[in-house]
Amino acid sequence: MGGGGQKEEAGEPGSGKAAGVYTWEEVQKHRSRRDQWLVVNRKVYNISQWARRHPGGSHVISHYAGEDATEAFTAFHPDQTFVQKFLKPLQIGELAETEPSQDGNKDAAIIQDFKTLRSELEKEGLFRAKPLFYCLHLGHILLLEALAWIMVSYWGTSWTLTLLCAAMLATSQAQAGWLQHDFGHLSVFNKSKWNHLVHKFVIGHLKGAAASWWNHLHFNHHAKPNVLSKDPDVNMSGIFVLGSVQPVEYGIKKIKHLPYNHQHQYFFLLGPPLLIPIIFNLQVLHVMISRRNWVDLIWYLSFYARFFSCYLPLYGFFGSVALIMFVRFLESHWFVWVTQMNHLPMNIDHEKRRDWLTMQLQATCNIDQSFFNDWFSGHLNFQIEHHLFPTMPRHNYHLAAQRVRALCDKHGIPYQKKSLWRGMTDIVR
């Protein structure tokens, strides 16, 4: 059925078991790299071979090997009927009737209440996008790009106008980043294929990055936020140590690649300035070339063809390179502070296999709502609602927030909300 994995124990002669009926203990034995089972809606699937063909990447589905993946499956797939076509051939059985629907540390009452909340929000239309919102958002990105070029084309390339041009381009790049995020999460169109197509256009042609690179990194982050060894956003390659667990482990193992007692200082030199101009650019190129993703490469090159055709006549080759690097430098600061203020100060630990609501709330916090905060952060000031409902259009987060908070209060789960300033200073703290 799914291929790979160990020989199925159920139904063997003398076993006394019904074929295809499993306990959690049996399912949990299959969570190695080459032998992976998971459970969705009490059905047991062998994903050992198919994981490599998973559209969201092999890692994101493998993170749930040996456990119940129902909540993650629901969160990531807006068209579950379509996805079932891929799952059906992988099914090898079901959980025994005596087994609970959830495994380990997952709370059945929380899971049921969260399922009910999601159903209510769906019925109220909060998962339906407003086309005008996204058209206006795209329009203001294109307008900023056009005004930046018109300004230096007609009024000259003085230092003042060049700095203003760079600021406008950095703003358009940051806002395009939030827009590609919407399409990448399949939250705009009803059909996934249209989301994927426009995502490639926005992240490739408007931003100069790769959809495949973003998908595989970002969905890993959403599947297991702030989980060491699973969330790439907390994999700092030994440059920073995060949370309260990792520093202790580094101390016990006497790992000291850098003076970590000063990381809050060298963060300003290595974090915001370098992430997008250097680290992300190298990652994007590596992913496209190593995986031979030529479609993403064409979209990527189309961005630079457009940029240099506009600015080469004005600044020359080296001047144009300096301009785009400075734009990336400015955008990188914007991106780092916005994306990290919701996660970096929160709990960072090894895998605990919690239910969806508990796991996401331990790793995520919100920032106060205002028109500026919504625009500045691409509505990721509602990071809690975004992580709980990744396919929900962002203009609806605020409509779900109070009910999410009420559910958290009911079950004693902390729901943190901060000012924008406090969120940023907590990164340094």
Side-chain angles (χ1 to χ4, degrees):
M1 295 238 175
Q6 298 174 5
K7 182 181 179 181
E8 296 173 21
E9 297 177 359
E12 290 182 351
S15 66
K17 303 176 188 174
V21 177
Y22 302 97
T23 64
W24 276 115
E25 183 180 0
E26 290 171 315
V27 171
Q28 289 165 356
K29 292 177 182 178
H30 301 271
R31 56 169 52 141
S32 65
R33 185 175 181 181
R34 295 184 179 181
D35 178 23
Q36 299 177 344
W37 293 6
L38 54 73
V39 176
V40 175
N41 293 319
R42 297 189 62 85
K43 292 181 172 62
V44 181
Y45 299 94
N46 184 343
I47 61 164
S48 305
Q49 296 298 320
W50 188 80
R52 289 177 294 180
R53 303 195 299 274
H54 182 237
S58 60
H59 289 162
V60 68
I61 193 170
S62 298
H63 290 335
Y64 281 89
E67 64 177 294
D68 179 37
T70 304
E71 292 190 295
F73 176 81
T74 303
F76 290 136
H77 302 106
D79 188 351
Q80 293 179 38
T81 303
F82 174 76
V83 180
Q84 285 289 347
K85 296 177 182 179
F86 297 93
L87 275 180
K88 191 173 182 179
L90 307 177
Q91 185 180 346
I92 57 173
E94 297 183 355
L95 290 174
E97 291 183 3
T98 54
E99 292 293 305
S101 296
Q102 65 287 331
D103 60 290
N105 298 322
K106 297 173 183 176
D107 189 305
I110 293 176
I111 291 173
Q112 183 56 50
D113 283 353
F114 180 72
K115 181 179 179 180
T116 301
L117 174 61
R118 181 184 178 92
S119 178
E120 291 172 353
L121 298 177
E122 287 175 344
K123 289 177 181 176
E124 293 170 18
L126 268 61
F127 285 82
R128 289 198 293 268
K130 297 177 180 177
L132 180 61
F133 173 87
Y134 292 103
C135 288
L136 291 175
H137 192 80
L138 175 61
H140 102 290
I141 292 168
L142 299 177
L143 181 63
L144 281 167
E145 295 231 353
L147 290 176
W149 178 77
I150 290 170
M151 180 179 63
V152 291
S153 295
Y154 284 87
W155 294 328
T157 56
S158 67
W159 279 105
T160 301
L161 292 178
T162 298
L163 289 173
L164 183 56
C165 172
M168 294 170 70
L169 290 176
T171 301
S172 72
Q173 285 294 293
Q175 292 299 322
W178 309 143
L179 184 61
Q180 69 81 22
H181 181 260
D182 298 322
F183 289 104
H185 274 294
L186 314 179
S187 62
V188 183
F189 294 108
N190 292 329
K191 295 288 186 180
S192 294
K193 65 179 182 180
W194 286 107
N195 284 298
H196 289 309
L197 179 61
V198 180
H199 184 222
K200 287 183 180 295
F201 166 75
V202 177
I203 197 172
H205 185 68
L206 296 186
K207 282 201 59 61
S212 57
W213 161 81
W214 182 89
N215 284 340
H216 291 185
L217 281 178
H218 197 65
F219 287 128
N220 276 302
H221 161 68
H222 269 268
K224 295 289 183 178
N226 282 12
V227 174
L228 295 169
S229 78
K230 291 189 175 182
D231 180 1
D233 286 12
V234 294
N235 175 18
M236 299 294 176
S237 303
I239 298 174
F240 302 103
V241 289
L242 305 176
S244 57
V245 173
Q246 195 177 48
V248 174
E249 293 178 345
Y250 270 49
I252 293 172
K253 297 176 183 177
K254 301 188 185 304
I255 300 173
K256 193 173 183 180
H257 302 303
L258 288 167
Y260 298 122
N261 54 315
H262 295 292
Q263 66 177 4
H264 61 291
Q265 296 168 326
Y266 67 71
F267 166 79
F268 292 95
L269 298 175
L270 301 181
L274 300 183
L275 185 64
I276 290 181
I278 306 298
I279 299 170
F280 277 5
N281 264 325
L282 292 176
Q283 286 182 354
V284 166
L285 287 169
H286 172 73
V287 167
M288 290 189 299
I289 295 172
S290 64
R291 296 178 182 172
R292 299 181 180 181
N293 196 325
W294 309 130
V295 173
D296 277 358
L297 182 61
I298 291 170
W299 281 114
Y300 171 88
L301 292 174
S302 74
F303 167 83
Y304 286 99
R306 176 172 58 87
F307 178 84
F308 284 111
S309 67
C310 290
Y311 290 98
L312 267 176
L314 301 172
Y315 291 97
F317 177 75
F318 292 108
S320 298
V321 170
L323 176 61
I324 189 60
M325 290 300 289
F326 185 57
V327 168
R328 297 291 194 213
F329 171 83
L330 295 176
E331 179 200 359
S332 189
H333 282 78
W334 189 330
F335 175 83
V336 168
W337 289 103
V338 168
T339 57
Q340 297 310 305
M341 65 185 177
N342 300 104
H343 293 299
L344 211 60
M346 303 301 290
N347 183 60
I348 300 174
D349 203 346
H350 294 287
E351 177 67 88
K352 300 298 181 185
R353 294 187 172 85
R354 304 285 188 185
D355 54 84
W356 187 256
L357 182 70
T358 303
M359 176 181 68
Q360 300 294 350
L361 267 292
Q362 287 180 345
T364 314
C365 67
N366 277 4
I367 301 299
D368 290 339
Q369 183 186 20
S370 69
F371 178 82
F372 174 79
N373 286 358
D374 290 353
W375 173 83
F376 182 70
S377 68
H379 288 86
L380 294 182
N381 49 329
F382 289 97
Q383 191 76 240
I384 290 173
E385 287 67 35
H386 169 58
H387 264 255
L388 292 176
F389 312 109
T391 59
M392 179 183 285
R394 58 171 151 131
H395 51 70
N396 288 333
Y397 292 157
H398 71 285
L399 299 174
Q402 288 302 319
R403 287 151 77 178
V404 169
R405 184 162 198 163
L407 180 59
C408 291
D409 290 343
K410 176 182 177 180
H411 291 283
I413 301 173
Y415 181 107
Q416 294 193 35
K417 188 168 75 167
K418 311 172 182 178
S419 67
L420 182 63
W421 174 251
R422 169 72 186 279
M424 291 186 176
T425 56
D426 275 356
I427 296 175
V428 182
R429 178 184 60 79

